[in-house]
């Protein structure tokens, strides 16, 4: 948190509300969330802080530290979708609108100030962190409280309905329920959450391909639609499953889907099995080196069946999965660019990460930026 930026915003003002929401790494369960599956997310030790100062009128302003000249001005009862340099404000504005629908929003104006130590566009879901941080601050401004589950749904609805991105609950759920040294296990059909302990000293590394993926414009929505299409064909054939992640291998074989939809459904079916195996394995104390194989398989499946990988992601995953100190590595998040995550304990270090990045540079003539994260606590109120 940049305290200096917040202190400047607070000159001569005394009343404030502060919050922090972490980014997340999708640990396992690629594209399962909107298919009603169970996914594993890890909240990271970096995120977005949001300072809220009440106003006496109905004016609202939103200022991001990185974009100091881009202060969005608006009125509390006139929420309009933004374009161009204010596009980032659609996430907080969407949250405000969802809170208003539920009578949970402040009724007077306010000023919001944001700082972030979360790298953007590398699959850490800065958008969910922005939504959650905004929601926790706005709720304080309104004098209201909600459960972490409601917080996650409000923010997911903001992204689906206002931003227009048909994402599932993985990002917001993980940012809401994160816990030190644990994964967040989300049953996306029931929207229920559990913490799953990780082996000691777990670390997760992010290696960025440098390919920027703007989810709103990417093939994400196409994949979402393909999964829906596969489900409705399977249902038309008499199956009573209500979401694609419930599909069983035998039913899938008999469903007679065309190749593309068959591949998508195969990924969803197998990925769900891997998540289940991973959770059982963790509980029964299976060694991380063996469990990591499931992450490797997940990457293969995303690449071959879900077809949301690319050459750079495959190359990084290949290097990392071949490294003796990496338990498993896979593309994380939407895909089509973005980043690979690698699960390690303390044996893997920055020198080894640098060597991976150097190999990447030899092949693609640009660096792969990398970051190390620890599993951390979820969205919360803060003080200065
Ligand atoms: C993005 C979305 C998530 C999830 C992943 C893929 O990160 O925001 O909801 O669908 O892609 O698993």
């Amino acid at each position: 948190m940049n305290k200096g930026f917040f202190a400047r915003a607070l000159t001569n003002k005394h009343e404030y509300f502060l919050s922090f929401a972490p980014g997340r790494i999708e640990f396992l369960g690629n594209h399962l969330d909107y298919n009603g599956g169970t996914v594993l997310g890890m909240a990271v030790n970096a995120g977005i802080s949001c300072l809220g100062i009440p106003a006496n009128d109905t004016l609202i302003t939103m200022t991001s530290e990185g974009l100091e000249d881009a202060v969005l001005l608006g009125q509390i009862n006139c929420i309009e979708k933004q374009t161009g340099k204010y596009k980032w404000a659609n996430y907080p504005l969407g949250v405000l609108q969802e809170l208003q629908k539920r009578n949970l929003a402040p009724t007077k104006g306010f000023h919001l100030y944001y700082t972030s130590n979360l790298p953007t566009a590398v699959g850490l879901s800065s958008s969910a962190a922005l939504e959650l941080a905004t929601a926790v601050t706005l709720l304080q401004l309104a004098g209201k409280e909600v459960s972490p589950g409601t917080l996650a749904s409000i923010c997911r609805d903001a992204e689906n309905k206002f931003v227009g991105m048909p994402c599932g609950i993985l990002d917001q759920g993980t940012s809401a329920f994160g816990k030190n040294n644990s994964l967040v296990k989300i049953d996306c059909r029931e929207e229920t959450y559990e913490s799953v302990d990780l082996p000691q000293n777990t670390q997760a590394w992010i290696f960025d391909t440098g390919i920027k993926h703007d989810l709103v414009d990417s093939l994400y929505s196409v994949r979402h639609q393909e999964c829906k299409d596969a489900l409705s064909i399977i249902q038309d054939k008499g199956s009573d499953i209500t979401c694609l992640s419930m599909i069983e291998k035998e039913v899938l074989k008999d469903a007679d889907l065309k190749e593309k939809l068959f591949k998508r459904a195969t990924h969803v079916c197998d990925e769900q099995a891997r998540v289940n195996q991973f959770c059982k394995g963790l509980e029964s104390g299976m060694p991380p080196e063996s469990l990591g194989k499931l992450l490797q398989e997940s990457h293969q499946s995303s690449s071959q069946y879900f077809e949301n990988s690319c050459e750079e992601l495959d190359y990084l995953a290949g290097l990392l999965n071949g490294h003796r100190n990496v338990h498993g590595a896979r593309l994380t998040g939407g895909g089509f660019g973005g980043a690979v995550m690698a699960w390690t304990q303390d044996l893997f270090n920055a020198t080894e990460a640098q060597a991976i990045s150097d190999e990447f540079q030899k092949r693609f003539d640009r660096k792969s930026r990398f970051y190390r994260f620890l599993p951390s606590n979820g969205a919360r109120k803060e003080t200065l």
Side-chain angles (χ1 to χ4, degrees):
M1 172 193 328
N2 183 343
K3 289 196 175 180
F5 176 70
F6 286 156
R8 283 195 295 285
L10 272 167
T11 313
N12 300 327
K13 301 184 192 80
H14 302 290
E15 203 187 356
Y16 74 89
F17 300 96
L18 187 61
S19 66
F20 170 83
R24 66 95 188 92
I25 291 176
E26 176 198 282
F27 201 90
L28 190 59
N30 197 229
H31 286 261
L32 286 187
D33 59 354
Y34 59 81
N35 283 306
T38 301
V39 293
L40 296 170
M42 183 187 119
V44 299
N45 53 326
I48 294 182
S49 302
C50 174
L51 175 82
I53 302 174
N56 288 325
D57 44 27
T58 53
L59 186 70
I60 61 173
T61 67
M62 296 181 182
T63 311
S64 158
E65 185 195 9
L67 312 161
E68 258 181 271
D69 61 334
V71 185
L72 179 88
L73 288 170
Q75 287 292 331
I76 186 131
N77 291 319
C78 180
I79 300 174
E80 281 170 8
K81 198 157 173 186
Q82 304 297 310
T83 51
K85 69 175 181 175
Y86 296 125
K87 234 173 143 183
W88 65 273
N90 286 329
Y91 298 96
L93 288 172
V95 169
L96 175 60
Q97 189 169 71
E98 286 305 315
L99 289 173
Q100 285 178 343
K101 285 184 196 165
R102 295 163 171 86
N103 284 327
L104 292 169
T107 47
K108 282 197 171 161
F110 51 78
H111 308 287
L112 298 182
Y113 295 84
Y114 297 95
T115 71
S116 171
N117 61 355
L118 193 64
T120 50
V122 293
L124 292 166
S125 201
S126 45
S127 47
L130 180 56
E131 290 153 8
L132 273 278
T134 304
V136 176
T137 294
L138 289 181
L139 284 163
Q140 291 181 79
L141 280 160
K144 309 272 184 184
E145 294 222 14
V146 299
S147 68
T150 305
L151 187 69
S153 323
I154 288 172
C155 293
R156 188 264 325 272
D157 288 354
E159 188 144 347
N160 289 174
K161 294 178 189 162
F162 195 75
V163 179
M165 160 75 185
C167 65
I169 195 82
L170 163 74
D171 306 343
Q172 294 80 9
T174 306
S175 184
F177 281 86
K179 201 173 139 221
N180 284 342
N181 215 48
S182 308
L183 291 176
V184 184
K185 179 178 170 188
I186 309 176
D187 175 333
C188 302
R189 186 152 40 107
E190 302 294 333
E191 296 201 359
T192 54
Y193 303 84
E194 262 174 67
S195 289
V196 181
D197 291 345
L198 280 163
Q200 286 298 305
N201 305 321
T202 280
Q203 309 179 354
W205 296 72
I206 285 288
F207 287 83
D208 179 24
T209 59
I211 301 176
K212 218 167 137 54
H213 67 154
D214 186 346
L215 283 176
V216 179
D217 300 327
S218 79
L219 289 158
Y220 185 94
S221 312
V222 176
R223 291 291 177 277
H224 191 254
Q225 188 58 45
E226 288 167 352
C227 291
K228 268 190 176 167
D229 294 346
L231 175 64
S232 80
I233 295 173
I234 293 163
Q235 287 170 331
D236 286 350
K237 298 238 155 93
S239 165
D240 58 1
I241 61 167
T242 52
C243 54
L244 194 56
S245 63
M246 293 166 79
I247 184 87
E248 283 173 8
K249 208 75 191 180
E250 296 65 45
V251 177
L252 178 57
K253 276 187 201 135
D254 294 340
D256 204 22
L257 294 174
K258 294 241 169 66
E259 192 191 348
K260 189 175 66 186
L261 295 191
F262 179 74
K263 281 163 110 179
R264 308 298 182 251
T266 300
H267 166 77
V268 170
C269 175
D270 294 349
E271 186 76 347
Q272 187 57 74
R274 279 185 285 274
V275 170
N276 298 344
Q277 263 177 283
F278 189 91
C279 293
K280 280 201 189 117
L282 264 188
E283 260 173 46
S284 64
M286 236 168 106
E289 304 77 51
S290 316
L291 284 171
K293 298 277 177 299
L294 294 165
L295 272 64
Q296 297 191 24
E297 287 169 20
S298 163
H299 183 84
Q300 293 302 334
S301 171
S302 295
S303 183
Q304 287 169 16
Y305 294 117
F306 213 69
E307 296 181 292
N308 60 336
S309 188
C310 61
E311 206 188 333
E312 289 84 349
L313 285 169
D314 286 346
Y315 186 70
L316 278 173
L319 286 178
L320 287 158
N321 279 320
H323 196 288
R324 67 185 186 292
N325 292 333
V326 172
H327 300 323
R330 53 184 290 279
L331 74 81
T332 178
F336 311 108
V340 166
M341 63 78 66
W343 177 28
T344 70
Q345 285 167 292
D346 12 9
L347 281 179
F348 189 78
N349 59 35
T351 312
E352 292 176 319
Q354 186 60 54
I356 300 276
S357 172
D358 292 346
E359 285 297 308
F360 183 87
Q361 183 160 19
K362 273 189 222 151
R363 169 82 180 263
F364 295 104
D365 211 19
R366 63 170 185 279
K367 284 190 197 325
S368 163
R369 288 177 302 153
F370 59 86
Y371 311 86
R372 185 187 77 113
F373 295 104
L374 303 175
S376 302
N377 287 335
R380 53 192 178 263
K381 298 175 192 170
E382 290 274 4
T383 47
L384 272 175

